[in-house]
Amino acid sequence: MTQPASWAARRMAGAALLVAAALGGCASIGPQRMGIDRSDYATHLRETNKEQLLLNIVAMRYGDAPLFLEVSSVISQYTREGSLHADIALGPPVDEADGGIGGSVLLRETPTITYTPLAGDRFARSLLSPIPPAALLGMIESGWSADILFKLATRSINGISNGGRDPLFAHTADSDFDRVIAVMGRLQRNRALQLHVEHEDGRKFSASARISPTLSDDEKADIDYLVRTLKLPGDRRGEFGIAFGAAQIAPDQLTIGTRSMFEIFAEMAQGVEVPAGDDDGRAGTPVADAGAPSALVAIHSGSRKPADAHVAVRYRGRWFWIDGKDAASKRMFLLAQILLSLNDTSGGASAPLVTIPTG
């Protein structure tokens, strides 16, 4: 009887060592999981933010109000559990191994995600207020293309109207607007026209547009076009002040009117491809204006989820998406995401707090 007991003890000790080794190997879960969790959470936060924005744009096409739920915190807690069990017969024959010993280790994750709806003052500041002029000009000063930003985010430049297709913000486009912003973008890329923003404190700033003293013949022709079209002084001055408003304030100033994010989303919603049967008024009707601008993005629809979409959402039983190969639409969609973040000046739009134990 002593030999089987010794055998059982050895089996028990071996299993205990295996479980202890497994538990010991998991002693530092945090460092091992941090790289995986950081990548996974970043990927899913990015994708769900894209999906939420597209869903709101599509919903606005159908007359629904936008609703944003922000992820304010993510807490991922891990629990490590180990167990050892034995089923041993005390008197087995010497040449038989009657009984069994085993162990198990369980790693359990319990994430807690906190959502905060965008409402009240933050909703008004983020979606209904015009885009902060300093933010828009700061992006252009740092190299973002002026023509693309102005196409998306401005209502007018010195009274030259961008136009609008959505009935809530409809206004006639001026035929010169597209050429004005194209010329500005070309001069910016050639560094013939540069914007400068000078911040005096947290709220006040001044901005100016400076013309290079050395211009090619083509650049001189572009500057002459802007001076003539925007009603600027034709005295070859090298700098103009920038102000904000619906119409030109002073002869020597560029006056820019910015859109709100709500207006931008409403204009982007005009690019939604309305399924057959929903064009009876359920998806609204754009203003019929020969001078209306083209849609800012192309949002397709269908009964099945596409295989190669930049972002896709399901709404009213159908799929809506931006094509993964549509570079222009993806660019506008990216700018809308960035401007939405910049437009929240309440101080409460901090990035999500992700807490993962690393001990």
Side-chain angles (χ1 to χ4, degrees), residues 137 139-150 181-195:
L137 292 181
M139 292 177 67
I140 296 174
E141 185 183 24
S142 62
W144 294 73
S145 295
D147 49 344
I148 299 176
L149 274 173
F150 283 155
I181 63 173
V183 167
M184 285 184 169
R186 185 163 58 244
L187 290 172
Q188 177 201 22
R189 285 187 287 275
N190 296 337
R191 300 186 65 80
L193 180 67
Q194 300 180 42
L195 297 185

Side-chain angles (χ1 to χ4, degrees), residues 89-158:
L90 296 179
V94 174
D95 58 346
E96 293 184 12
D98 189 11
I101 300 175
S104 64
V105 177
L106 175 65
L107 179 65
R108 180 184 295 113
E109 181 185 8
T110 54
T112 301
I113 302 175
T114 303
Y115 298 97
T116 304
L118 186 65
D121 290 341
R122 284 195 59 203
F123 181 91
R125 276 189 285 262
S126 298
L127 296 185
L128 304 183
S129 300
I131 293 171
L136 184 62
L137 292 181
M139 292 177 67
I140 296 174
E141 185 183 24
S142 62
W144 294 73
S145 295
D147 49 344
I148 299 176
L149 274 173
F150 283 155
K151 179 69 174 177
L152 176 70
T154 61
R155 305 190 90 238
S156 63
I157 302 174
N158 271 17

Side-chain angles (χ1 to χ4, degrees), residues 114-344:
T114 303
Y115 298 97
T116 304
L118 186 65
D121 290 341
R122 284 195 59 203
F123 181 91
R125 276 189 285 262
S126 298
L127 296 185
L128 304 183
S129 300
I131 293 171
L136 184 62
L137 292 181
M139 292 177 67
I140 296 174
E141 185 183 24
S142 62
W144 294 73
S145 295
D147 49 344
I148 299 176
L149 274 173
F150 283 155
K151 179 69 174 177
L152 176 70
T154 61
R155 305 190 90 238
S156 63
I157 302 174
N158 271 17
I160 305 296
S161 175
N162 188 3
R165 290 157 47 97
D166 184 88
L168 285 172
F169 304 98
H171 54 287
T172 303
D174 288 307
S175 58
D176 286 315
F177 184 85
D178 284 342
R179 185 179 175 188
V180 164
I181 63 173
V183 167
M184 285 184 169
R186 185 163 58 244
L187 290 172
Q188 177 201 22
R189 285 187 287 275
N190 296 337
R191 300 186 65 80
L193 180 67
Q194 300 180 42
L195 297 185
H196 177 67
V197 181
E198 182 175 344
H199 294 268
E200 298 176 8
D201 56 35
R203 295 182 179 180
K204 296 181 180 180
F205 71 96
S206 61
S208 60
R210 297 175 180 174
I211 299 174
S212 172
T214 57
L215 299 173
S216 67
D217 290 341
D218 289 341
E219 291 165 351
K220 289 178 181 177
D222 282 342
I223 293 293
D224 289 341
Y225 169 77
L226 290 181
V227 167
R228 182 174 62 256
T229 306
L230 299 177
K231 298 180 175 60
L232 297 170
D235 54 3
R236 294 288 182 180
R237 66 182 60 194
E239 184 172 324
F240 297 95
I242 298 178
F244 290 86
Q248 189 173 19
I249 297 173
D252 60 345
Q253 285 187 335
L254 284 170
T255 306
I256 300 174
T258 58
R259 286 170 164 167
S260 66
M261 290 309 304
F262 192 98
E263 183 178 357
I264 288 176
F265 295 155
E267 287 300 316
M268 295 179 78
Q270 301 308 306
V272 173
E273 180 182 81
V274 178
D278 285 358
D279 54 0
D280 57 358
R282 278 178 284 186
T285 304
V287 173
D289 186 349
S294 58
L296 294 172
V297 294
I299 300 174
H300 306 279
S301 65
S303 58
R304 296 182 180 179
K305 183 178 182 179
D308 184 23
H310 176 61
V311 55
V313 294
R314 189 170 176 84
Y315 180 76
R316 294 172 64 94
R318 294 185 65 86
W319 284 96
F320 295 85
W321 70 90
I322 294 177
D323 195 302
K325 299 178 181 178
D326 186 351
S329 292
K330 291 196 298 182
R331 190 180 304 116
M332 285 295 187
F333 191 77
L334 170 64
L335 285 177
Q337 289 179 277
I338 294 172
L339 289 173
L340 177 61
S341 177
L342 291 176
N343 207 41
D344 188 347

Side-chain angles (χ1 to χ4, degrees), residues 39-57:
S39 176
D40 288 348
Y41 278 116
T43 298
H44 284 84
L45 282 170
R46 178 171 55 249
E47 293 303 313
T48 55
N49 280 340
K50 287 163 52 180
E51 292 167 1
Q52 179 176 234
L53 177 55
L54 180 60
L55 181 62
N56 276 310
I57 291 172

